[in-house]
Amino acid sequence: ESELDSGIVVESELDSGIVVESELDSGKKIQKDRDDLEISQQSSVIRREGYCVTYGDCGGFPCISNTPAKSLSSPESLTILAEMCPHLQNQGRYCCDGVQAEIIKKTISAADILLKTCTIGKINLRAVVCDLVCSPNQSQFVEVSQYENFEDKSRATRTKYFLSELYSDKVYNSVKKHTRLMCGNFLRDCTKEQFFNFLGDNRWTKLKTDYEIGNHPPREDITLNSHEHITCIVNGAGYCQC
């Protein structure tokens, strides 16, 4: 095995000829090893009420921090939470700081433009995003799936968000009439899967999220997020006439 000046390793094999491993492939292997390590560490994560898996801002991404939720001391941050995340405003402790509250406001405001006057849809959509970042019980339904080093810390670059089938149906139905705009598909409505894929990976969000929707938690330490939402009643179907 010889290493060239260009950083390319050439490994000779008797049966298969020559295998060339590039720096790009090596980088992918490092990322895979890092992801596998993260998965292996999930069993040591504290998952219970009042605990976070991320807290604080690390250059636009949430810092990994499996610690108890903390109080927000800034009046400005509390005002943002009351406006954007009213279902969380009386929790007292959160898994986000003031900088993250500002990021949430900017991110959600972009979606608000697309939903226009659909008040109920906006509230339900905001609740999903707010819980991902700020819920004091974040550790119960959010899992860090990819991360990278940042200064002297680690920051999450991708997460998994576990929520119930029923809850995801209700959120989707409340914004369904506007999914063409939200998913960038002007010819037909988005399916629920396409909508949540867009919600988790779009040009406004640096942190990417995979929404894991189901009827049962994948493991004993995971809880499916599901809470009371605001419904537009149309023959009991829960659709929003915006």
Side-chain angles (χ1 to χ4, degrees), residues 7-9 20-28:
I8 296 178
V9 176
V20 179
E21 182 182 349
S22 66
E23 290 180 343
L24 178 60
D25 292 335
S26 298
K28 289 181 179 178

Side-chain angles (χ1 to χ4, degrees), residues 81-137:
L81 230 61
E83 176 188 357
M84 297 291 165
C85 317
H87 68 294
L88 294 178
Q89 63 178 320
N90 296 321
Q91 292 293 324
R93 295 181 182 275
Y94 309 94
C95 288
C96 62
D97 62 9
V99 175
Q100 289 177 290
E102 289 283 354
I103 292 174
I104 284 179
K105 183 176 182 179
K106 292 178 181 178
T107 302
I108 291 179
S109 294
D112 284 353
I113 295 173
L114 298 178
L115 289 172
K116 298 179 180 179
T117 59
C118 184
T119 304
I120 304 303
K122 284 192 291 188
I123 292 174
N124 289 335
L125 184 60
R126 287 176 177 181
V128 174
V129 177
C130 288
D131 282 350
L132 170 64
V133 183
C134 288
S135 170
N137 304 319

